Amino acid sequence: MIKAVVGANWGDEGKGKLTDVFAKESDIVVRYQGGNNAGHTIINSYGKFALHMLPSGVFYQHITNVIGNGVALNVDAFVKELAALKERGVPQPTIIVSDRVQIVMSYHILFDKLEEERLGKGAFGSTRSGIAPFYADKFAKIGFQVSELFDEEWLSAKLDRILPAKNTLLVHLYGQAPMTKDDLMAELKRYKEAIAPYVHDTFKFFQQAVDDQKVILLEGQLGALRDPDFGIYPYSTSSSTLSFYGPIGASLPRPIDEIWAVTKAYSSCVGAGPFVTEIHDEVEAQELRKRGGDAGEYGATTGRPRRMGYFDAVATRYGCQVQGATHVALTNLDVLGYLPEIKICVAYETDGKRREHFPNITRLDHSTPIFETMKGWNCDISHIRHYDDLPVEAKAYVDRLEALIGVPIALVSNGPNREQIMARQSK
Ligand code: GDP
């Protein structure tokens, strides 16, 4: 049984919480793309954690956590996060790392930072974790696969090929000091030593896991609208955020049985790029921001305030379609309890034309929202444990979102904690 938990929007939809809820009944939790450039917030009996590099199954002893080949592995972040779990009393999790995953080098992070600085106002809003330079090198065939770390001669020859090109950019484009081969060999050696105990042939591992009928959870990072092909390129990330990439990035070439797209009851977006339903009135935006999530809507990795908006049904329907969602989990419904009326964006107006299908980037940039307004429920719903006990206005809101999205909303989350989640039967 293979399940995927993926984002329907721009990220930060609450995937971490859902993965944590599903992890209980899973045998394996896999990260299959992205690096430590985003974070999942998880709140459980050990406390509150922001995971960036580790899969969300690390709080359960029965789970094997996998870092798949599609990930951008930052070894230092991996080691630091594991140590932080230990420090806070979480027992050592079982974790394996694909021998085909590639390593984020310190120069990827450096180039990311230098390029954003060079672009100035035109920067992409990168988290400066080295993700774009990392994936660029992977596909230019000059990245370092974990398996290569174990062959010094191989590494030495590869560095001889790579270094002159990197240093030319460093010195002549960015005006920095060049890197030395010795330093880079030492860096690679340090990574090898840190990661060696975790390295596995994860392809073989998954062949066996499928034969043994294990329950496997694919954990997506960011959301559909950050996908390089289907998202808001170039304000996208550099690896596919889609469920269908999951089996590739995990080394598990099998169809997915259930695809859970996660979306919030309102919209939020970190970083640059068009965001049609954005609330531009700062007082109104701040009201929503401070109530959102478990401690306000601020990036789990960067601490940046998230841009806030009303529910964007155009973007979310599209997000669920490109994810191939079979189910939707709606999170943060509790957050809207302060509003007497709630707006939903049901269509866009682009250059004078009503549009219900999510447009390409240049049209998106001149789209404005067409709203519909619903009555709010105006009370706290975070203590409710059965969907039927919700106020009628809250249920009507969820029904409307489901009709607009076109995929059954099967779970509704009304608070950041594990027990604040309710099953829902579709109409
Ligand atoms: P992810 O990257 O998709 O896992 O999302 P983040 O962890 O970055 O952001 C989601 C935020 O919402 C976190 O602060 C969660 O603790 C919080 N959260 C998740 N579900 C709910 C919910 O139903 N209600 C509230 N109030 N917060 C939630």
Side-chain angles (χ1 to χ4, degrees):
M1 160 77 163
I2 304 176
K3 259 189 197 183
V5 173
V6 288
N9 304 103
W10 300 263
D12 310 321
E13 297 93 347
K15 298 176 296 295
K17 168 172 170 173
L18 194 70
T19 309
D20 186 56
V21 167
F22 283 166
K24 208 169 156 197
E25 278 103 45
S26 306
D27 301 300
I28 300 165
V29 178
V30 200
R31 278 283 308 272
Y32 61 85
Q33 45 86 220
N36 67 328
N37 51 323
H40 287 324
T41 311
I42 294 178
I43 301 175
N44 57 31
S45 54
Y46 297 106
K48 177 179 166 176
F49 296 84
L51 294 181
H52 308 281
M53 200 67 257
L54 298 178
S56 297
V58 289
F59 300 101
Y60 292 102
Q61 286 293 288
H62 69 276
I63 288 180
T64 301
N65 293 277
V66 181
I67 299 215
N69 51 279
V71 168
L73 176 64
N74 181 317
V75 177
D76 290 338
F78 173 88
V79 169
K80 218 166 119 191
E81 238 169 76
L82 265 181
L85 291 187
K86 196 173 168 194
E87 229 167 71
R88 293 180 60 193
V90 181
Q92 173 72 26
T94 305
I95 178 153
I96 61 174
V97 171
S98 165
D99 59 348
R100 289 175 186 272
V101 70
Q102 297 202 9
I103 304 275
V104 177
M105 296 294 290
S106 58
Y107 59 74
H108 290 137
I109 299 167
L110 179 66
F111 277 109
D112 199 356
K113 182 174 147 273
L114 292 171
E115 182 61 5
E116 286 282 286
E117 281 168 12
R118 188 183 75 84
L119 291 172
K121 274 205 177 121
F124 291 110
S126 158
T127 59
R128 302 181 182 204
S129 328
I131 301 303
F134 164 90
Y135 280 108
D137 279 4
K138 174 172 176 175
F139 292 102
K141 296 168 283 189
I142 51 172
F144 290 99
Q145 221 180 56
V146 160
S147 63
E148 294 175 298
L149 297 180
F150 297 87
D151 187 329
E152 268 190 40
E153 251 176 67
W154 178 286
L155 288 180
S156 169
K158 195 162 185 178
L159 276 177
D160 285 338
R161 289 196 301 274
I162 295 171
L163 206 52
K166 294 283 173 213
N167 275 339
T168 303
L169 279 179
L170 210 49
V171 174
H172 298 289
L173 180 63
Y174 298 117
Q176 302 288 312
M179 302 182 287
T180 69
K181 186 175 170 186
D182 284 352
D183 283 352
L184 292 178
M185 279 302 279
E187 182 180 337
L188 288 163
K189 189 162 180 245
R190 190 163 62 76
Y191 293 155
K192 179 189 81 179
E193 282 160 10
I195 210 74
Y198 305 98
V199 178
H200 260 71
D201 181 339
T202 46
F203 182 82
K204 232 158 75 185
F205 168 83
F206 278 119
Q207 293 295 310
Q208 189 63 49
V210 169
D211 286 350
D212 295 345
Q213 300 192 325
K214 297 287 188 201
V215 178
I216 302 168
L217 196 57
L218 300 170
E219 177 179 16
Q221 182 222 37
L222 295 169
L225 304 173
R226 298 288 185 199
D227 183 71
D229 289 281
F230 292 94
I232 51 172
Y233 184 88
Y235 303 101
S236 43
T237 193
S238 306
S239 64
S240 176
T241 55
L242 301 185
S243 63
F244 295 110
Y245 181 70
I248 299 166
S251 61
L252 171 64
R254 291 284 194 288
I256 309 171
D257 300 289
E258 284 181 15
I259 299 171
W260 287 78
V262 186
T263 186
K264 278 200 282 223
Y266 49 90
S267 298
S268 75
C269 166
V270 159
F275 179 32
V276 174
T277 66
E278 182 162 15
I279 302 171
H280 294 287
D281 179 315
E282 205 21 60
V283 176
E284 197 183 338
Q286 185 56 21
E287 279 298 307
L288 182 54
R289 182 179 298 121
K290 74 178 188 210
R291 290 180 165 86
D294 71 290
E297 291 282 358
Y298 299 92
T301 296
T302 57
R304 291 186 288 190
R306 292 178 182 151
R307 297 159 71 194
M308 306 303 298
Y310 292 108
F311 188 84
D312 185 336
V314 180
T316 309
R317 179 170 52 242
Y318 173 77
C320 288
Q321 285 169 347
V322 297
Q323 290 290 15
T326 57
H327 302 75
V328 166
L330 182 72
T331 68
N332 282 271
L333 187 66
D334 52 304
V335 172
L336 299 180
Y338 72 104
L339 287 169
E341 284 191 329
I342 307 175
K343 287 188 197 167
I344 304 172
C345 169
V346 294
Y348 294 165
E349 187 179 316
T350 318
D351 304 325
K353 190 172 160 232
R354 184 184 166 103
R355 178 179 288 281
E356 270 152 30
H357 181 68
F358 193 71
N360 65 33
I361 187 73
T362 48
R363 282 189 175 148
L364 190 63
D365 208 34
H366 23 119
S367 293
T368 51
I370 297 174
F371 286 118
E372 170 180 299
T373 302
M374 290 191 76
K375 199 162 174 287
W377 45 97
N378 233 278
C379 63
D380 178 18
I381 57 165
S382 60
H383 56 282
I384 295 175
R385 293 292 168 269
H386 300 286
Y387 183 80
D388 288 340
D389 297 338
L390 284 175
V392 287
E393 294 85 355
K395 285 189 277 193
Y397 183 72
V398 177
D399 290 348
R400 182 67 184 132
L401 297 194
E402 180 178 80
L404 288 163
I405 299 171
V407 178
I409 296 178
L411 282 172
V412 174
S413 169
N414 59 333
N417 297 319
R418 262 183 194 169
E419 61 283 4
Q420 290 172 302
I421 195 151
M422 302 171 287
R424 173 179 176 274
Q425 297 295 327
S426 288
K427 297 268 150 187

